[in-house]
Amino acid sequence: MGADPLVLARVQFALTAGTHFLFVALTLGLATLVALTQTRAVVSGSAVHARMVRFWGQLYVINYAVGIVTGLVMEFQFGLNWSGLSRVTGNVFGAPLALETIVAFFVESTFLGLWIFGWDRLNRWVHLALIWVVTLTAYLSAYFVLVANGWLQRPVGFAMVDGEARLNDVGALLTNPTALLAFFHVLFGGLLTAGFFMAGVSGFHLLRRTAEVEFFRRSMRIGLLTVIVSVMPVVVFGGMQFRYTQATKTGGHDAAAVAADFTARFGPGDYMSPGLARAGEGLMVSMWLLMMLVAGVALVKFPFGRWLVRGRVFHVLMIAAVPLPYVAMVSGWVFREVGRQPWMVYGVLKTRDALSPGVGSGTITVSFVAFAVLFAGLFVVNAWLLARFARRGPEGAGLGSAPPVEPAAPVMSPTF
């Protein structure tokens, strides 16, 4: 007996969406830190900060480029495996995704290309403006994605007409609390991820007693300050979302009544949240507690710059802490998405009904294996590239460097 196509389709999308989210978090955070660092370099004329922009900007570009590929693959799956979602709710769900595509692939990528190739060719203020446009459009892109996802969690601003969802309140869609709170949660989560990443890479170089002590001391301070500033807002905006979390997901006192209502409207079924969602919630909380502990240590160390350079145990701690926000994000995503089951659009469209007709176990198995291999390869390549260029340090940063000048061919004197 073949595997259930629905299960394979769900696992396949979880693989692509979860992996893509890991790239997005670091991209959002690093873009902001690079923009702030470049602002400092332009305003003050600091040579150290200018070199920091090139080094950290290069790591940002690497992560962005690989993340784009994962995002494209994820978009394809809506048409391949989930045409039922597009057929029933495409008029609502597709609107914010269309805006995200325009923002991400036309505006953000265009200005990023100008920023990359405009180094030393554009006025420094114009070049600074470019990275800020890239950063703001990145957050706008994330907002539109979360508007779409928030509607899956808490559908508002629509009416069902002849079996199809029709948008009738744009304001309700764009101001959905499940989207707005998630956006700020992700915003600070991205900063937290970038802060741990910057502190971890800096700790690696300081542990090796690199010659670039001042460079990585300043980078360490930026990373730690970002962690200290971001860790509490992440917890606050995460906790505020529980007010709008489905009763069947949290198991609240209204869960039984909601499940009974679903049974009366849609027939018998298991409408309570799967146990995996609660496991994700527990792991997420554990990771946040560990990150708050590390942030507390960083807060104690932060005023004493010499300990940022000499504290070898602290350097090891910051290197080991780099994966913490990633684990927290994936586990939180599992809680948010798995806990919505068996619904694709909560209370409107079941996941099984959103599956494309005619998708068999053989077809979905082949595509699942192909996507799994592709995403594993992309993840390994991204990790390898980040590690390789991070190990090289600022001297190995090629972003913004002038191309080598070919030596002129020697002029041969005529011989007689």
Side-chain angles (χ1 to χ4, degrees):
M1 180 181 295
D4 185 354
L6 176 61
V7 174
L8 287 176
R10 287 178 58 195
V11 175
Q12 180 175 302
F13 193 81
L15 171 69
T16 56
T19 306
H20 178 64
F21 187 43
L22 296 180
F23 290 99
V24 169
L26 183 59
T27 296
L28 289 174
L30 269 185
T32 307
L33 296 185
V34 169
L36 290 171
T37 304
Q38 185 167 349
T39 302
R40 172 72 180 275
V42 170
V43 172
S44 66
S46 169
V48 173
H49 286 86
R51 295 177 67 222
M52 290 169 63
V53 173
R54 295 178 187 268
F55 175 70
W56 297 109
Q58 181 168 271
L59 298 180
Y60 158 71
V61 170
I62 291 171
N63 192 76
Y64 176 89
V66 181
I68 284 292
V69 180
T70 62
L72 289 172
V73 174
M74 185 176 66
E75 295 283 351
F76 289 146
Q77 290 191 40
F78 286 119
L80 292 173
N81 297 336
W82 304 105
S83 62
L85 174 65
S86 301
R87 184 180 65 255
V88 177
T89 67
N91 291 324
V92 181
F93 180 71
L97 289 183
L99 292 172
E100 187 274 336
T101 301
I102 294 172
V103 169
F105 291 100
F106 289 95
V107 180
E108 182 184 358
S109 58
T110 298
F111 279 85
L112 179 60
L114 290 172
W115 183 75
I116 294 173
F117 297 106
W119 225 296
D120 298 327
R121 295 177 174 87
L122 299 172
N123 176 278
R124 69 181 190 278
W125 294 101
V126 173
H127 194 251
L128 173 63
L130 292 176
I131 190 60
W132 276 111
V133 172
V134 170
T135 302
L136 295 177
T137 51
Y139 281 113
L140 189 60
S141 175
Y143 165 72
F144 284 128
V145 170
L146 290 169
V147 166
N149 181 266
W151 188 79
L152 299 180
Q153 303 285 339
R154 182 175 179 267
V156 295
F158 77 104
M160 296 298 295
V161 180
D162 297 328
E164 295 182 2
R166 302 291 177 86
L167 182 62
N168 59 15
D169 190 342
V170 177
L173 176 68
L174 297 179
T175 59
N176 193 345
T178 57
L180 294 178
L181 293 174
F183 169 73
F184 287 105
H185 185 61
V186 169
L187 186 154
F188 285 104
L191 288 172
L192 193 62
T193 303
F196 272 109
F197 178 78
M198 186 175 284
V201 173
S202 301
F204 170 78
H205 282 277
L206 292 174
L207 184 65
R208 295 173 63 195
R209 295 294 190 257
T210 178
E212 297 281 355
V213 173
E214 182 63 17
F215 182 96
F216 286 109
R217 185 189 70 83
R218 289 177 178 269
S219 295
M220 174 71 84
R221 289 180 69 88
I222 293 174
L224 293 181
L225 180 61
T226 305
V227 169
I228 293 169
V229 170
S230 303
V231 67
M232 281 308 298
V234 166
V235 176
V236 170
F237 284 109
M240 290 173 66
Q241 294 180 68
F242 279 91
R243 178 182 177 184
Y244 301 96
T245 301
Q246 304 93 336
T248 53
K249 180 185 294 184
T250 58
H253 63 278
D254 295 330
V258 174
D261 177 64
F262 286 156
T263 301
R265 293 166 52 197
F266 298 95
D270 185 5
Y271 294 102
M272 300 303 294
S273 172
L276 179 61
R278 303 310 299 267
E281 179 188 18
L283 183 58
M284 173 186 65
V285 173
S286 300
M287 291 300 103
W288 293 132
L289 290 175
L290 285 175
M291 286 189 289
M292 291 183 69
L293 178 62
V294 175
V297 175
L299 184 60
V300 173
K301 291 280 189 178
F302 187 79
F304 307 101
R306 66 182 185 278
W307 289 108
L308 300 182
V309 176
R310 300 175 183 175
R312 299 178 68 84
V313 175
F314 181 70
H315 299 157
V316 174
L317 174 64
M318 297 315 302
I319 296 171
V322 171
L324 293 180
Y326 288 104
V327 177
M329 285 185 296
V330 171
S331 56
W333 177 81
V334 168
F335 172 68
R336 180 178 175 91
E337 301 303 315
V338 175
R340 190 175 71 243
Q341 296 305 312
W343 300 102
M344 178 62 79
V345 183
Y346 190 75
V348 176
L349 178 67
K350 286 188 175 181
T351 305
R352 182 171 293 278
D353 296 330
L355 189 67
S356 299
V359 174
S361 59
T363 303
I364 196 67
T365 299
V366 172
S367 63
F368 174 79
V369 173
F371 282 129
V373 172
L374 173 63
F375 271 73
L378 289 173
F379 185 82
V380 171
V381 167
N382 187 68
W384 176 73
L385 287 173
L386 288 177
R388 179 185 180 187
F389 284 94
R391 284 174 62 91
R392 287 182 178 181
E395 293 302 323
L399 183 65
S401 59
V405 178
E406 294 290 338
V411 179
M412 303 299 294
S413 300
T415 58
F416 297 95

